[in-house]
Amino acid sequence: MAHTMDQSNISKLRELFMVVDIKDTGTINLLELKAAFKSFDLDADADGETIERIFKGIDHDKSGQIHYAKFLVALVEGHSSITMECLADACDQIDIGDKRYISHDDLEDLLGRD
């Protein structure tokens, strides 16, 4: 999804990451994320428990660290949305023969028989 963003937006997210990464380790830990919420006056909207849930939601490997790639994906996914038009386009591409539905054969053509 990040590949659909323009370079200036990605650069801004990189700058934000670097601001939050207080220790300049290339990762963000829970304390740094809590400090970022406080410094940006977001802690009034999100208590410590909420920030921990956000952190755990991004830290899939449970390393206690959020790397830049995880950070970028989380922010981009949080702001993207799937529209009915996008879903219809995807279905149209899978629907061979313009039947207006996706058949078992269509899925086999797409995914293979195995």
Side-chain angles (χ1 to χ4, degrees):
M1 289 184 195
H3 63 276
T4 62
M5 294 182 71
D6 65 37
Q7 191 60 38
S8 68
N9 285 336
I10 292 174
S11 294
K12 289 176 186 174
L13 291 176
R14 178 72 179 158
E15 289 174 29
L16 176 61
F17 181 86
M18 292 168 62
V19 167
V20 176
D21 180 16
I22 298 166
K23 296 180 183 176
D24 197 27
T25 60
T27 61
I28 298 171
N29 63 35
L30 179 58
L31 293 176
E32 289 172 318
L33 187 61
K34 285 182 177 182
F37 268 77
K38 186 173 183 153
S39 69
F40 291 109
D41 291 326
L42 299 172
D43 57 338
D45 297 324
D47 61 11
E49 197 173 295
T50 301
I51 297 169
E52 286 182 33
R53 280 198 313 271
I54 291 168
F55 186 86
K56 287 177 182 178
I58 300 170
D59 182 26
H60 296 288
D61 64 1
K62 298 179 181 12
S63 67
Q65 303 293 317
I66 298 173
H67 296 272
Y68 174 67
K70 289 187 214 174
F71 176 82
L72 183 62
V73 167
L75 289 177
V76 172
E77 285 181 345
H79 290 291
S80 65
S81 61
I82 298 175
T83 64
M84 290 304 289
E85 184 178 330
C86 290
L87 287 174
D89 288 344
C91 290
D92 287 345
Q93 290 180 21
I94 297 169
D95 173 21
I96 298 171
D98 200 25
K99 301 178 297 299
R100 310 279 302 152
Y101 65 90
I102 297 172
S103 68
H104 185 266
D105 290 337
D106 293 334
L107 292 175
E108 278 187 344
D109 287 343
L110 178 68
L111 303 172
R113 298 195 188 283
D114 292 332

